Structure formats: structure tokens, C-alpha cells
Amino acid sequence: MEPRLRPRIGLLPVGHDYYWHQYPDLQGMGQRMENRLCELLAPLGDVVVADLADHPDKARQSGERLRQEHVDLVLIFPFGYTPAMNVIPAVQNLAVPIRILNAHQDRSYDYARADTTQYLHHEGVCCVPELAGALVSLSRPFRVRTGHFDDPRLLAELRADAIGSAAARFFRQMNVGLIGQTYTNMVDMPIDEHRLLRATGRLLVRPEVEEIENAYSRVTDAQLEAMIGELRAVYDVDDTVTDAHLEFSARLAVAFDEVITRYDIYAFGFYWWGERELVTQLRAQAALAVSRLTALGRPGVTEGDVKSALAVKILDLLGGGGMFVEFFAMDFDSEFFLMGHDGPSNVGMAHARPHLRHLDVHHGKSGRGLGIDFAVREGPGTLLNLTQFDAGDTFKLIYSVGEVIPGPVLAIGNPNCRVRVSKPLHVFMEQWCQHGPSHHLAIGLGDHTEALETFAEAMGFRSVRV
């Protein structure tokens, strides 16, 4: 699975103008290295290169260029030793993550034969502590990325920085919705909209349940036929599912698609009990509709849990897919958690073709309807909870990296998977719970540690890894 965004990477080459007349070849050597770096960064995003900042006045001009270009991330790249005042004016007004790129095209060089030009060309590392100290003095978060240009670890770190920063930009701009209400008496479901406002400048978009009902009533025969064909192509359908069951779910999928795209919502919670049978079933039968939207990058979460929908969307933006889960069970013999949830899923994370069955009872909920079964693809997985408890002014990310492992899972119409974490179950649960999570969380494919940390930095969220 790939990230959904194309990052905008700001490259800030910096140097010391006093050297150029002393060593005429030095600036050209740095610029050729910059060109090579741009070639390496091009697959990671759109690279915006500022003019060489080799004087405080030029630094201000370069910083303004990067600000006007709305870059997601700034890489400070020294050609050699650079006084910090050739850098600070460029970044002091940029509200994006900063990385000091302590890197070089050469792994080593011939010290015995090198002249002063060669020495200065390789001396970018000299100013890195000075730049870091200045940023600490200004209370600006940053990371130092160190390595040679052919080091895959360095490029992987820069890729994660770019993706995490771009995800934060999209996160601030996207609409977030709630249809209906939160599940009755769940203390951890409501979201504090003032926190959302402080984090993104937006409040929740709140479509009415009647909008789903009205959209359901006007689905055309052509729309219905197309959606039934789409659902049959995705799912194996067992004998408990009638044509009428599938038709209801397909009609509802068209309705949800209309309402969610009308408001351009990219993460949403939904829940309602309903007094009329149709209204109840519009929620009870929503699993296929919302699972489809989740796979298309507009995740929805039942029980009105907007925060978990946001966690799913974060993992989606980072390239992990993202699916809504909770802790189902602990297996002390084989040391894993069984994790899953009823209702919406992400069929894009299925190990094999997902299976549909009809459920006469939705546990803990009113109504009846289709349930989805599948096992999640095996391999590294990131667990992510977005909480407002112990989170300062906005939100906090609680995350862990484990592994989705093979083995039998439940076949009850609720997608689920086995997840092994790096700590004993009792240690993990104690530490996880101490950070104030909600009982829902998201799981994504892959290890997204670096990108998550950069995302949290860009958003100003606290983050903690368990």
C-alpha cells in the first residue's frame, strides 16, 4: 500500500560566502552535490530548491520563497561549514518540520592527498551542532538526518519525514464528519470539537441521518446495478445472503457515497439507534457501504468514534491502509492479541477475498444485516490510537509496532487478526492503558514509526510509543 499524497519538499542549501573568493571551485562542488541530491529526492516528492543561503540576507529571501511555495518539510543542506545566522532567518517563520541534512555524496575521501578545497567540501558536519543549538535556543523542533547519499536508511528516513509532513498538511485541510451520535454511555467516544478546532481550524461536519435516508430513496436502477456488480466483484457471498440483502446494502452504499462526497468528508464517525425500521437498518446495513469508502480513502467508524476514524485516516495517508479495531482477546499460550471490530472494515487490507454472511443479530446493536469476514495481511503492523486524554491542548498519538501473524481467527462476520507485540501482554496492556487511550484503535500495514513521529511534530501533537 502506498501513501496517497505527493509531498512538497523544501531544500535549503546553505554555505559561507567568505569561502567562495578564497577557494573558487568550492561553490561549484557544492552545487553539483546539490544536483545529485535533488535526483535522489525527486522520487520522494516535488522538490522546491531555494537559492543558496550564504549570507543572512539571502537566508531571509530563501525562507520567504519556501514559505510562498507551501512546502511540507524543509531540509537544511550545508555545502560546508555555515554560520547559523546564514540559516536561522530562513526557517524562523516556517511552520513546518525542519531536518538538518548532515549528508554527503562521498562515503570517504583521500585525506593524504586532499587540499583545503576538498577539506572544506566535506566539512558540512562541522556546523551541524551549531545549527542544532540555535534551533534548540529558538524552541524549534528538528531532527538531524545523517548518512551518505547511497545509504538506503537515510533515504528511508527522508521519505518518512516527507510523508509524515504531507499527511499533516492534508489532515489540517480535510473535512471530518459525524452522522448521528456516539454509542450510548461510551465515555471515550465523544470528541472535544474545541481540540479539533485548535488542531485544524475546523469543526465537525454533521450531515443529518435523513440525508442518508433521502439519498437511499433516490438511487437509480443504473446506480444500483453498478454497485451490486462492484460488491459481487469484491466479496465472496455465501448462501445466507439473499439478493434482497445485497440490494439493500448496495443501495445504501450509493447513498453513503453521495452524502460523504457531497460534503467532501475524509474521516467520519456514524451511529444512531433509530425508531423506524428503515432508519435502524440504514445504520445496521452500513458495513459494506462504509468499508468501501474506507478502502477509497474516506474511512468511517461505527459507534460515532470520530477520533478512531482520524487514526485510520492518518495510517491511510501514510500508506498503511488503516482499519478500525479493538482488543478481542488475549492468547497467553501463543502470546498475541486477537483484534477486530464489527461493522466497517478496510477490504484493501484483506489477506484473501473477503466473505459476506448475513447476521440476524448485531451484538450490542439494534438491527440486522451483512457481516464481513477476512483475515488481515500478515507482516509488520502499526497500532495507533488518537486520544484527547492527557493530550495538552489538542490530541495525543499512542502507537506501537507489532506483527500480524498467521493462524485461525474468528468467523463471526467481524474481520479480525492476530497481532503480536514486542512486549509480554501484561506489560503492554499496563503501559498502553497508562497513556489514556480509548478502547478503539486503528491498525495499519507496515512500520510507520518515523512518519508518525514527523506527523505528530508537524501537528504539534504529543506522541508516545509503547
Side-chain angles (χ1 to χ4, degrees):
M1 309 189 79
E2 292 296 325
R4 294 185 181 269
L5 301 172
R6 179 76 174 168
R8 290 180 61 77
I9 303 169
L11 181 62
L12 177 65
V14 297
H16 189 14
D17 61 349
Y18 201 82
Y19 288 145
W20 307 148
H21 71 277
Q22 292 181 326
Y23 303 95
D25 294 334
L26 185 59
Q27 184 175 354
M29 293 168 68
Q31 289 171 332
R32 286 189 291 276
M33 186 165 61
E34 172 195 305
N35 293 338
R36 172 62 179 145
L37 177 60
C38 288
E39 293 175 358
L40 296 174
L41 295 175
L44 308 184
D46 297 327
V47 183
V48 177
V49 184
D51 291 337
L52 175 64
D54 57 4
H55 183 276
D57 291 339
K58 290 185 178 179
R60 292 185 186 91
Q61 296 168 9
S62 293
E64 181 61 19
R65 162 88 192 286
L66 295 176
R67 189 185 66 80
Q68 291 177 353
E69 292 284 350
H70 302 291
V71 296
D72 300 315
L73 171 76
V74 171
L75 306 179
I76 301 170
F77 181 51
F79 279 8
Y81 171 74
T82 302
M85 280 308 296
N86 290 0
V87 177
I88 295 305
V91 299
Q92 61 185 357
N93 294 321
L94 292 173
V96 297
I98 296 171
R99 298 294 179 263
I100 301 174
L101 187 52
N102 179 35
H104 205 281
Q105 64 187 0
D106 295 333
R107 299 172 64 102
S108 181
Y109 69 104
D110 189 345
Y111 310 114
R113 299 188 180 189
D115 59 13
T116 302
T117 299
Q118 285 287 337
Y119 145 64
L120 292 173
H121 177 56
H122 291 88
E123 205 200 9
V125 63
C126 176
C127 65
V128 170
E130 179 182 345
L131 302 181
L135 291 171
V136 169
S137 175
L138 296 174
S139 300
R140 288 298 306 271
F142 67 94
R143 301 286 295 276
V144 177
R145 298 304 192 192
T146 297
H148 59 85
F149 284 5
D150 296 323
D151 185 347
R153 188 261 316 151
L154 173 63
L155 291 179
E157 290 175 353
L158 294 176
R159 179 178 184 270
D161 287 331
I163 292 168
S165 301
R169 179 243 306 162
F170 188 93
F171 190 89
R172 289 192 199 93
Q173 297 172 352
M174 71 183 188
N175 287 331
V176 182
L178 175 62
I179 309 174
Q181 62 190 43
T182 58
Y183 189 99
T184 308
N185 291 331
M186 285 186 177
V187 174
D188 52 350
M189 291 303 95
I191 183 172
D192 180 348
E193 287 193 68
H194 285 281
R195 292 176 181 271
L196 183 65
L197 183 65
R198 287 192 289 268
T200 68
R202 295 166 181 256
L203 294 175
L204 292 177
V205 176
R206 293 178 177 267
E208 299 289 348
V209 176
E210 286 87 350
E211 293 182 69
I212 300 290
E213 182 179 8
N214 292 338
Y216 176 87
S217 68
R218 60 174 171 261
V219 174
T220 67
D221 290 342
Q223 288 175 312
L224 180 60
E225 182 180 356
M227 187 60 73
I228 289 174
E230 182 179 326
L231 296 178
R232 286 194 178 278
V234 170
Y235 294 96
D236 282 328
V237 182
D238 75 14
D239 294 339
T240 65
V241 180
T242 66
D243 289 344
H245 293 150
L246 197 60
E247 179 179 320
F248 192 103
S249 287
R251 191 180 296 275
L252 188 53
V254 175
F256 262 90
D257 188 90
E258 177 189 321
V259 173
I260 295 303
T261 56
R262 180 197 306 155
Y263 288 97
D264 199 26
I265 292 171
Y266 276 92
F268 64 99
F270 72 100
Y271 196 78
W272 57 90
W273 294 99
E275 291 190 353
R276 289 185 289 122
E277 173 70 7
L278 175 59
V279 174
T280 296
Q281 289 304 111
L282 290 176
R283 189 263 309 150
Q285 291 271 27
L288 272 65
V290 181
S291 295
R292 175 181 176 275
L293 286 168
T294 299
L296 293 173
R298 297 179 184 267
V301 167
T302 187
E303 299 173 8
D305 187 359
V306 174
K307 297 188 298 297
S308 288
L310 291 172
V312 172
K313 183 57 186 176
I314 293 167
L315 291 174
D316 170 71
L317 290 170
L318 301 183
M323 191 171 85
F324 174 55
V325 295
E326 64 189 6
F327 295 98
F328 270 9
M330 298 173 289
D331 191 301
F332 295 104
D333 288 336
S334 299
E335 278 285 310
F336 67 84
F337 290 109
L338 192 66
M339 305 188 76
H341 206 281
D342 67 301
S345 62
N346 186 341
V347 293
M349 294 174 59
H351 174 73
R353 195 173 180 186
H355 182 80
L356 282 187
R357 68 176 67 213
H358 186 266
L359 303 175
D360 292 324
V361 176
H362 285 178
H363 62 271
K365 298 179 174 69
S366 57
R368 61 200 175 279
L370 301 186
I372 304 169
D373 280 317
F374 64 78
V376 175
R377 279 187 250 170
E378 298 160 12
T382 299
L383 304 176
L384 176 63
N385 180 260
L386 184 143
T387 183
Q388 61 196 28
F389 302 140
D390 188 35
D393 289 336
T394 54
F395 300 102
K396 180 173 69 174
L397 302 182
I398 309 169
Y399 73 97
S400 185
V401 176
E403 183 179 6
V404 179
I405 61 174
V409 295
L410 298 174
I412 59 171
N414 300 169
N416 56 110
C417 57
R418 297 175 170 220
V419 178
R420 179 170 289 147
V421 294
S422 60
K423 300 181 178 185
L425 301 186
H426 70 286
V427 174
F428 177 88
M429 284 303 289
E430 165 65 12
Q431 294 181 356
W432 183 267
C433 291
Q434 287 296 329
H435 293 295
S438 57
H439 76 277
H440 295 150
L441 61 156
I443 185 170
L445 303 177
D447 180 348
H448 298 283
T449 299
E450 294 287 352
L452 272 177
E453 291 288 353
T454 300
F455 172 85
E457 176 188 341
M459 291 300 305
F461 292 173
R462 292 182 55 196
S463 67
V464 60
R465 177 171 174 165
V466 176

